Amino acid sequence: MLWQPINLTEVCPAHTQLTACSNFGYIYLALLAHLYGDSEDRRIQEKLHIREEETFGKEEYDFIVVGAGAAGCVVANRLSANKHWKVLLLEAGAEQPDVTLVPGLSTSLIGSSIDWSYQTEPNGKSCLARKDQRCGWPRGKVMGGSSSINSLVYVRGNKLDYDGWAALGNEGWSYDEVLPYFKKSENNLDLEGLSCYHGVGGEQPVSRYLYIDRPNIMMTQAFNQGGLPIRDYNGPFQVGAMPAQAITRDGIRVSTNKAFIQPIRYKRRNLKVKIKAEVFEILLSDNKVAYGVKYMKNGKVHTAYAKKEVIVSAGTINSPKLLMLSGIGPKEHLSDLNITVKQDLPVGENLHDHVTFNGLIVALPNETATLIAQDQILNEIKCYKDMKVKRGPMSADGPANNIAFIKTEPDLLAPDIQFHIGHLHRGDYVREPEIADEISIFPTPFYDALLVRAMNVVPKSRGKVLLNPANPYGKPLLYANYLDDPTDAIPILKAVKFAVSLENTTAFITNGARYDRTPLTACKYYEWGTDEYFLCLIRSYTSATHHQAGTCKMGPSWDPKAVVDPKLRVYGVPGLRVIDASIMPFAVRGNTNAPSIMIGEKGVAMVLEYWLNKSHG
């Protein structure tokens, strides 16, 4: 059986150090291809005898939505609920393959054909031990976007974040004003008395994993014994620890594609979805009104027209790229590329991400480790496929199930550190974490060491997205600029000391867990445990958290760095909005998938309000 929706074997050349191209690697990939070689969208199409063929004649719609990611799927769903409006949803990637539904295979998707596989540009201050001093930035190139390939964690951020947005002049974006939009989408399956903070009737399932292994329990207990209360980090207080809330139901990933598009895609005749359709230009009239897009599909250029609005939901990287290709962006940069400047705006600036590092390794003894023999791994994958309600290790995302937030100074009003736990296969694959975990094609539930990552959720460093002079239509230049502000490392260093102290907890001791104190190669001239050693790790083994934000910044008209207004309308370009994580003035304290869904809900609500009031007026 040919596996068309995703081709993991393309990853092999980059993964030779991980033995992905060994006999077991090929067997593993072949098994995935056999078990998960089709997609639910494709099967529904065949059952209903529906084909989304090329449109002949003039393509005219009321709304065009660019990007079927965390926000775009929400936007397309809500707009197409009005049967009088025709909506076109364009996605550059393919259908969402079934392999993405397995939480335990999340890291297997990195570097595959449904990943844009972006990389940062070196800045000489971070990612120093990585190849060419570049950090990898995987982003979903598939229906559902990054919600189809991420670590599934559902974190909203802190009340202070949204109140901070509002304080900058973004009317309507305070915590109390955005909370209803979080609740609208959410269908919380583990509600335990905090109904005023959670929704139960929305399209997006949120639940804890059905399987929690021994190291996960150990880490939650250790955080608790280290002084962190067990509490709902999406409730009124964020400081604490808790097993992750995730975008799962019955042990299956529920991306925004699966939650918002699949249920309606072949029922609403006014919604048209096109995959492998990459938009490369937003059409603007002489007076700069957006009226359509040009996109590439099957090697041909197509034009689609929007009678009401073009809505860009292509994400923090691709949204600014598209705007700049269309002449909307920094005048100097566009002029250098001979792109006609139609609207001079700081598009692509204010790029930032929560920064962390690999290298703080917790070694697990055999009785605590979850690493199993290769034939057992294959058997677990097959067993998962056969279960109606998915349980067992493949139904969870390994150690990523642990979430904790701390304040590194007692007088802080909100957390400045989020802990994320990664995994390692120390004995069988690599020991150097500059590549471990981030490109592992093997299932996440099976490991014999943990990576404790402390991420700075309030970074000061800012970078930018630029078009590539060698090929503006290709991968853009991503200047993450991690650790450009040296103070960004300070809270991480303080958090590392807290993490190391967990070795003295009963949870660590009774499970035989200990920190591996062997200095890593890039920092071998420093003594393990010293500030100098950990600072070296932070700069050498820098790791992205994939929470990129800010490149089409939302702000009031007096903000010189604003690209969109508080209603997400692009300044000076009527008929064009950006609705995704790129509009964040600053990233929230936490993962960005849940906030992106909220931005989709609130953003489309403003679109609906405008056009419904206009029609009634």
Side-chain angles (χ1 to χ4, degrees):
M1 177 179 182
L2 293 178
W3 193 12
Q4 297 300 328
I6 180 174
N7 183 5
L8 285 178
T9 59
E10 294 176 0
V11 185
C12 281
H15 287 186
T16 52
Q17 294 187 64
L18 297 181
T19 69
C21 297
S22 65
N23 288 337
F24 174 66
Y26 278 125
I27 293 171
Y28 169 60
L29 294 171
L31 179 64
L32 293 185
H34 174 69
L35 294 177
Y36 304 105
D38 207 348
S39 70
E40 187 169 343
D41 286 321
R42 194 177 305 279
R43 290 194 299 273
I44 294 174
Q45 273 189 331
E46 292 174 353
K47 184 176 181 180
L48 299 179
H49 304 290
I50 293 175
R51 296 290 183 272
E52 289 171 339
E53 304 289 353
E54 294 299 312
T55 303
F56 296 96
K58 187 175 182 179
E59 293 187 62
E60 191 171 69
Y61 302 86
D62 292 285
F63 297 94
I64 297 173
V65 182
V66 181
C73 287
V74 177
V75 172
N77 177 297
R78 302 307 186 210
L79 289 176
S80 62
N82 186 326
K83 63 183 180 180
H84 301 295
W85 290 342
K86 290 179 62 179
V87 179
L88 173 63
L89 176 61
L90 296 170
E91 168 55 43
E95 301 287 10
Q96 182 184 354
D98 283 358
V99 68
T100 62
L101 305 181
V102 188
L105 297 178
S106 62
T107 54
S108 303
L109 306 171
I110 296 174
S112 72
S113 57
I114 58 171
D115 175 10
W116 285 96
S117 299
Y118 289 127
Q119 288 190 319
T120 64
E121 295 298 308
N123 72 340
K125 301 176 182 180
S126 59
C127 313
L128 300 180
R130 298 183 180 279
K131 184 178 180 182
D132 300 325
Q133 298 185 6
R134 301 172 187 269
C135 278
W137 274 13
R139 308 307 298 161
K141 186 180 182 181
V142 64
M143 289 295 297
S146 294
S147 76
S148 294
I149 71 168
N150 65 12
S151 63
L152 294 87
V153 175
Y154 183 88
V155 181
R156 294 176 176 173
N158 191 275
K159 180 181 188 296
L160 193 65
D161 298 323
Y162 303 101
D163 289 346
W165 291 4
L168 293 175
N170 295 298
E171 183 179 351
W173 289 89
S174 70
Y175 179 75
D176 288 342
E177 291 168 303
V178 303
L179 180 59
Y181 294 101
F182 276 114
K183 293 170 65 175
K184 180 177 181 178
S185 291
E186 183 183 11
N187 181 18
N188 195 292
L189 305 177
D190 297 315
L191 203 59
E192 297 171 351
L194 292 175
S195 58
C196 57
Y197 291 93
H198 289 284
V200 294
E203 289 84 351
Q204 182 66 65
V206 176
S207 68
R208 288 193 285 275
Y209 290 116
L210 298 178
Y211 179 86
I212 301 178
D213 60 30
R214 185 171 171 180
N216 274 305
I217 296 172
M218 178 193 79
M219 288 305 304
T220 300
Q221 290 176 337
F223 283 128
N224 183 229
Q225 293 165 9
L228 297 180
I230 304 297
R231 61 163 45 129
D232 176 7
Y233 52 73
N234 287 324
F237 304 103
Q238 196 178 23
V239 172
M242 193 180 86
Q245 297 177 33
I247 52 169
T248 62
R249 179 177 52 218
D250 297 332
I252 296 174
R253 177 198 295 269
V254 184
S255 67
T256 51
N257 171 54
K258 190 170 178 62
F260 291 91
I261 298 300
Q262 283 185 359
I264 64 167
R265 183 168 171 180
Y266 305 109
K267 295 179 181 178
R268 296 182 183 173
R269 298 180 64 86
N270 61 325
L271 172 64
K272 191 172 188 64
V273 180
K274 291 194 175 187
I275 61 167
K276 298 182 180 180
E278 185 169 355
V279 179
F280 62 89
E281 184 181 356
I282 300 164
L283 300 175
L284 304 181
S285 66
D286 291 339
N287 55 350
K288 295 190 289 191
V289 176
Y291 66 91
V293 299
K294 288 186 178 181
Y295 64 95
M296 184 72 71
K297 183 174 174 63
N298 296 330
K300 298 179 180 180
V301 174
H302 301 264
T303 302
Y305 300 92
K307 292 187 288 185
K308 290 181 169 63
E309 290 191 27
V310 174
I311 298 172
V312 179
S313 299
T316 296
I317 298 173
N318 288 330
S319 285
K321 174 187 172 183
L322 175 58
L323 263 61
M324 288 189 283
L325 286 174
S326 307
I328 305 168
K331 180 178 180 179
E332 183 177 353
H333 176 52
L334 299 185
S335 297
D336 288 344
L337 298 177
N338 294 317
I339 295 175
T340 301
V341 180
K342 299 178 180 178
Q343 183 70 9
D344 183 13
L345 289 172
V347 174
E349 298 182 19
N350 192 43
L351 173 66
H352 57 289
D353 183 21
H354 299 151
V355 63
T356 186
F357 73 101
N358 292 346
L360 194 59
I361 302 171
V362 177
L364 302 173
N366 290 338
E367 59 269 23
T368 302
T370 64
L371 196 61
I372 59 177
Q374 294 175 352
D375 58 339
Q376 291 176 284
I377 293 177
L378 299 179
N379 187 58
E380 287 287 352
I381 295 172
K382 289 186 288 186
C383 285
Y384 175 90
K385 175 69 174 179
D386 294 336
M387 287 186 283
K388 184 174 181 181
V389 175
K390 313 297 186 182
R391 300 184 183 275
M394 298 304 296
S395 68
D397 195 23
N401 187 35
N402 291 279
I403 300 292
F405 291 90
I406 68 168
K407 296 190 294 184
T408 61
E409 294 293 341
D411 58 343
L412 292 176
L413 298 177
D416 55 346
I417 289 290
Q418 176 183 351
F419 281 104
H420 172 258
I421 311 300
H423 75 292
L424 272 176
H425 312 134
R426 293 190 310 146
D428 293 333
Y429 308 123
V430 298
R431 195 185 173 294
E432 288 295 311
E434 72 270 24
I435 56 174
D437 186 67
E438 293 191 7
I439 62 170
S440 172
I441 70 160
F442 293 91
T444 53
F446 310 118
Y447 52 92
D448 62 356
L450 301 174
L451 282 171
V452 180
R453 294 194 181 104
M455 65 176 75
N456 181 344
V457 292
V458 286
K460 297 177 182 178
S461 300
R462 293 295 185 268
K464 63 177 64 175
V465 175
L466 294 176
L467 296 177
N468 193 328
N471 178 11
Y473 296 96
K475 291 184 178 181
L477 302 180
L478 308 177
Y479 293 91
N481 220 14
Y482 288 133
L483 304 173
D484 180 63
D485 188 317
T487 63
D488 281 349
I490 294 174
I492 301 176
L493 182 60
K494 293 177 180 178
V496 166
K497 295 177 180 179
F498 170 79
V500 171
S501 75
L502 299 181
E503 194 176 46
N504 300 318
T505 62
T506 301
F508 265 58
I509 294 170
T510 57
N511 283 280
R514 58 176 178 78
Y515 282 99
D516 186 337
R517 286 171 163 75
T518 307
L520 299 180
T521 302
C523 304
K524 63 183 179 181
Y525 297 110
Y526 298 101
E527 181 182 354
W528 194 99
T530 63
D531 286 0
E532 292 77 13
Y533 177 75
F534 289 129
L535 286 170
C536 177
L537 290 184
I538 292 168
R539 292 200 177 275
S540 299
Y541 300 99
T542 318
S543 179
T545 60
H546 319 308
H547 302 162
Q548 298 91 347
T551 51
C552 297
K553 182 186 178 186
M554 172 177 64
S557 58
W558 62 83
D559 183 349
K561 295 296 184 180
V563 174
V564 300
D565 68 12
K567 293 187 181 297
L568 309 188
R569 299 171 297 196
V570 176
Y571 279 110
V573 187
L576 180 63
R577 298 193 205 221
V578 178
I579 304 180
D580 57 31
S582 71
I583 65 94
M584 294 185 183
F586 54 84
V588 300
R589 292 167 169 83
N591 304 57
T592 49
N593 186 60
S596 295
I597 296 173
M598 179 279 292
I599 290 169
E601 285 282 21
K602 181 168 175 57
V604 75
M606 293 187 287
V607 176
L608 291 168
E609 179 184 27
Y610 175 81
W611 288 103
L612 291 175
N613 286 343
K614 187 172 184 178
S615 65
H616 293 150

